[in-house]
Amino acid sequence: MSTVSSTPRTKTGIIPATPTTTRVTGSHVLQASPHYTTTRRHSLYGTEDRVVIDPGSRIWKVGFSGEGKPRDVFYADAKNYGSLWSWNRATDPTEKAEQDNMLEINLERCMRSVFHESLLAEPKARKVILVEHPLMPLYIKDMLAHILFSNLQVPSISFASSHLLSLLSVGRITGLVLDCGHLESTALPIFAARPLFPQLRTTPLAGSRFSSHIRALLLLFGSYLPPPTTLSAAVNVPAANRTTRVPQEILTDAVIEDIKTRCCFVSDALESSFSDVRASSPAGDDPSDHEPPPSSDPAMSESEFSRGSLGQESAAESEFSIISHLTHSTSSGEASSEKHIQVLANMYMRHSTATNLHMRVVPPVSQQTGTGRGTLIIPGWVRERAAEVLFEGGDVDESSVAEVILDALLKVPLDLRKTMASSILITGGTAMLPGFIPRLHTELLRATAPLNILSTRSRPTYDRYASLRPLVPHFAILNNPTPVPSSSARANVNAGKAPAFTPATMAWVGGSLAGALKTGGVEVAREKWDESDPSQTDQDDDVIMVVPASERIPRNVIPDWTRGLLPAGAPPAVALKPLPSPQAVGA
């Protein structure tokens, strides 16, 4: 009887990740690999398959080319569930050098874990496809290349755009890709497998802002049951008498990540208007308990509210918290902000049908003398409406995810808008929230709807998306799980027709496909990397200079679209002389 061992999902022991063949008892017949329909030897027994690495700021996805899913998916910081890097780089030279050195140490640890624990492969015999974000800083790409070439000594590295690979994974070469990651959400149009980088648009409303928003909502509206001090108290004292506010110490990054991935979902937009609510409210009721707050209110919006809680990771070190910020402030503006948030909570609570969840958490240090763990009570409306921060736009610097798509459509040429609007692809870990993609399609229709039918939002006088209104019937999301029928034949053909890959792994699957087809991005060989090393100039071969990461200059061999040539329609740098007039020529 033949047995095929399964692929492990975590790094446990030193069992090989994938057996290539299975030998039948009493026979010499070689059976196929679990990932292939042929008997081709690969992975541990061959070097023709490339290693595909998708290095995210929090989660890495690694595996071999030609396979349908990654071999391993792991957190870069397994202890704290934090990010390896951020877009805010230190300006002080000493702090900057320390930050870069720590980043290089962590990147090297992750790279060695990829080859020696996840894939069990020899790096010297493996070409690497590196899935890169279009806005990944150049110094981070230089660190990754330095680790792979100098430390692991891989033969070559191919840099490929994550948006283009995501589009290739669904069998397309033209479309508009929105990547909702952890640090930011980025929309990039792609035409004929050529990324249109000048039309790229981005917003910080992504997974990081979503996590901080959940933390802020739980601090204000969540409940916490501390562990009882004795067993008799657990039976005799009612749970309602032990309910307290949520301590900041229990809302660690691991707890927030667990809540975000297992408890939250995206619901439909609220369609009830202010006039309907006021008309249906009985006399004597306070209309502020029913009406949605206007967007022109100077009070704190949901986006500003979550932005103010971005520093809550270090709130345990300070006695100033967002709760005291909202309740102990004496200014009238803060009182209005608190009322604004409370009105939002009342409106969401009234329209929510989600149930409250009880989650067991590790109690604070002062309460660990009790019996058992504490209980975090997550309100149902928080689970359902916490993602509203991603769809709240209107800010120039913080556009919503729907506005990012529309802004990118405004930048593309007119003859490409219909093609891009009917081929929208949503990728990224944040897009895996249940109901995210159908809600995004609804927000696209709401943002481009005529002003006279909008009653739930106050719109500015200038309608910047009026030119996109003819494209409304053509909006189609390729990986929409519940496509809506449209009057456009193009939209009906494309909507929901993408393969059922998870949005978080589409970029890796595209890299696996590119590696199997022996294609990819710009390939940098190790010999070319060694030739471009500025530290080896005018030095003996026996002398090796170790340059700190902060003082290392990025090499020109690393591809960077920001250093490319100007587009064809760019004006010349030198003004051309005017041509002589016909009268002067005739004279």
Side-chain angles (χ1 to χ4, degrees):
M1 179 178 181
S2 62
T3 58
V4 179
S5 58
S6 60
T7 301
R9 302 303 302 167
T10 58
K11 309 180 188 68
T12 57
I14 56 174
I15 303 175
T18 300
T20 57
T21 58
T22 302
R23 191 172 298 276
V24 182
T25 304
S27 175
H28 298 284
V29 180
L30 295 179
Q31 292 186 350
S33 166
H35 297 280
Y36 289 91
T37 58
T38 65
T39 59
R40 179 172 74 121
R41 292 185 180 271
H42 67 288
S43 299
L44 295 177
Y45 298 95
T47 59
E48 61 182 56
D49 291 326
R50 304 186 182 186
V51 173
V52 183
I53 303 177
D54 185 2
S57 60
R58 295 182 69 247
I59 299 178
W60 286 39
K61 295 169 280 290
V62 298
F64 293 104
S65 62
E67 299 183 353
K69 59 182 178 180
R71 290 290 185 96
D72 194 11
V73 179
F74 61 91
Y75 285 93
D77 187 2
K79 295 182 180 180
N80 302 322
Y81 292 87
S83 301
L84 286 184
W85 64 80
S86 63
W87 302 139
N88 298 325
R89 198 179 183 189
T91 57
D92 182 68
T94 305
E95 185 179 356
K96 179 181 177 181
E98 182 180 357
Q99 183 180 3
D100 291 348
N101 291 334
M102 289 301 301
L103 176 59
E104 187 172 15
I105 292 173
N106 291 328
L107 289 177
E108 183 178 354
R109 172 182 53 81
C110 292
M111 282 296 180
R112 291 189 178 276
S113 175
V114 167
F115 287 94
H116 300 156
E117 297 182 24
S118 300
L119 304 181
L120 298 178
E122 175 60 35
K124 295 182 180 180
R126 293 287 182 176
K127 294 183 178 181
V128 174
I129 295 180
L130 199 63
V131 181
E132 63 166 346
H133 191 275
L135 297 179
M136 178 181 288
L138 189 59
Y139 76 97
I140 296 181
K141 292 200 296 185
D142 181 76
M143 286 184 185
L144 293 172
H146 181 267
I147 293 170
L148 289 172
F149 280 129
S150 302
N151 295 354
L152 299 175
Q153 300 181 1
V154 298
S156 67
I157 303 176
S158 297
F159 294 89
S161 173
S162 60
H163 291 70
L164 177 58
L165 294 180
S166 300
L167 200 60
L168 292 178
S169 67
V170 297
R172 306 294 178 109
I173 59 174
T174 299
L176 178 60
V177 183
L178 174 67
D179 183 7
C180 297
H182 178 68
L183 296 179
E184 62 183 355
S185 299
T186 308
L188 178 63
I190 298 175
F191 178 74
R194 301 296 194 276
L196 305 180
F197 290 114
Q199 281 75 40
L200 182 144
R201 288 297 175 265
T202 182
T203 177
L205 297 183
S208 177
R209 180 61 60 84
F210 182 39
S211 299
S212 63
H213 193 60
I214 294 176
R215 178 181 281 107
L217 290 177
L218 291 177
L219 288 175
L220 286 177
F221 303 105
S223 303
Y224 174 69
L225 291 176
T229 55
T230 60
L231 295 177
S232 59
V235 179
N236 300 328
V237 180
N241 297 341
R242 295 189 291 114
T243 304
T244 61
R245 279 188 177 271
V246 178
Q248 298 180 10
E249 294 82 356
I250 68 172
L251 295 181
T252 60
D253 291 340
V255 173
I256 295 298
E257 181 70 13
D258 200 14
I259 295 174
K260 182 172 65 173
T261 55
R262 298 178 57 189
C263 303
C264 294
F265 63 97
V266 182
S267 184
D268 297 335
L270 296 179
E271 301 294 342
S272 60
S273 63
F274 163 66
S275 57
D276 296 338
V277 172
R278 173 167 289 190
S280 61
S281 61
D285 286 358
D286 187 6
S288 63
D289 293 339
H290 302 275
E291 65 186 45
S295 59
S296 60
D297 191 357
M300 184 185 299
S301 64
E302 275 198 88
S303 180
E304 295 170 345
F305 172 63
S306 61
R307 192 189 318 132
S309 64
L310 286 175
Q312 292 304 309
E313 289 81 358
S314 58
E317 302 176 2
S318 174
E319 60 182 1
F320 190 83
S321 65
I322 193 170
I323 298 177
S324 62
H325 177 65
L326 292 177
T327 56
H328 295 86
S329 177
T330 57
S331 62
S332 59
E334 296 301 334
S336 177
S337 299
E338 182 182 0
K339 182 180 179 181
H340 177 84
I341 298 298
Q342 189 61 45
V343 169
L344 277 176
N346 294 338
M347 181 183 64
Y348 291 151
M349 195 180 307
R350 189 176 70 254
H351 291 88
S352 176
T353 58
T355 58
N356 299 346
L357 289 185
H358 294 244
M359 182 177 180
R360 308 290 289 179
V361 294
V362 178
V365 179
S366 59
Q367 300 177 358
Q368 290 183 359
T369 57
T371 57
R373 294 191 172 190
T375 303
L376 175 63
I377 303 177
I378 307 172
W381 70 268
V382 171
R383 299 171 46 223
E384 182 179 0
R385 296 297 174 179
E388 294 294 324
V389 66
L390 302 177
F391 304 100
E392 184 188 58
D395 196 335
V396 177
D397 297 326
E398 295 186 353
S399 303
S400 67
V401 289
E403 291 175 347
V404 167
I405 295 178
L406 298 177
D407 292 340
L409 288 175
L410 288 175
K411 293 297 181 180
V412 300
L414 292 176
D415 53 348
L416 293 181
R417 289 184 179 178
K418 183 182 295 185
T419 303
M420 296 294 176
S422 59
S423 302
I424 302 175
L425 182 64
I426 311 300
T427 67
T430 306
M432 294 184 64
L433 286 170
F436 180 87
I437 296 179
R439 173 66 184 276
L440 179 58
H441 184 265
T442 303
E443 292 296 325
L444 289 175
L445 301 180
R446 289 164 61 95
T448 54
L451 298 178
N452 55 358
I453 67 172
L454 284 175
S455 57
T456 60
R457 296 181 179 180
S458 61
R459 296 293 297 271
T461 306
Y462 171 67
D463 187 8
R464 57 176 175 169
Y465 301 128
S467 60
L468 300 179
R469 197 157 296 139
L471 299 177
V472 170
H474 302 284
F475 280 126
I477 300 179
L478 298 176
N479 55 339
N480 190 352
T482 57
V484 180
S486 174
S487 59
S488 172
R490 182 195 299 261
N492 292 329
V493 170
N494 292 340
K497 296 302 189 295
F501 294 116
T502 57
T505 60
M506 279 187 175
W508 188 93
V509 171
S512 175
L513 177 63
L517 298 177
K518 302 297 184 292
T519 60
V522 179
E523 186 173 0
V524 179
R526 187 170 59 184
E527 293 79 8
K528 190 176 181 180
W529 172 268
D530 295 337
E531 293 175 358
S532 64
D533 188 1
S535 62
Q536 299 296 334
T537 306
D538 298 332
Q539 293 183 5
D540 297 335
D541 296 338
D542 298 336
V543 179
I544 300 177
M545 300 294 294
V546 180
V547 182
S550 59
E551 301 178 2
R552 192 179 301 134
I553 302 176
R555 310 189 191 186
N556 294 329
V557 297
I558 299 179
D560 183 20
W561 65 269
T562 60
R563 298 183 305 193
L565 300 176
L566 293 176
V574 180
L576 300 178
K577 295 182 179 180
L579 297 175
S581 61
Q583 293 79 5
V585 174

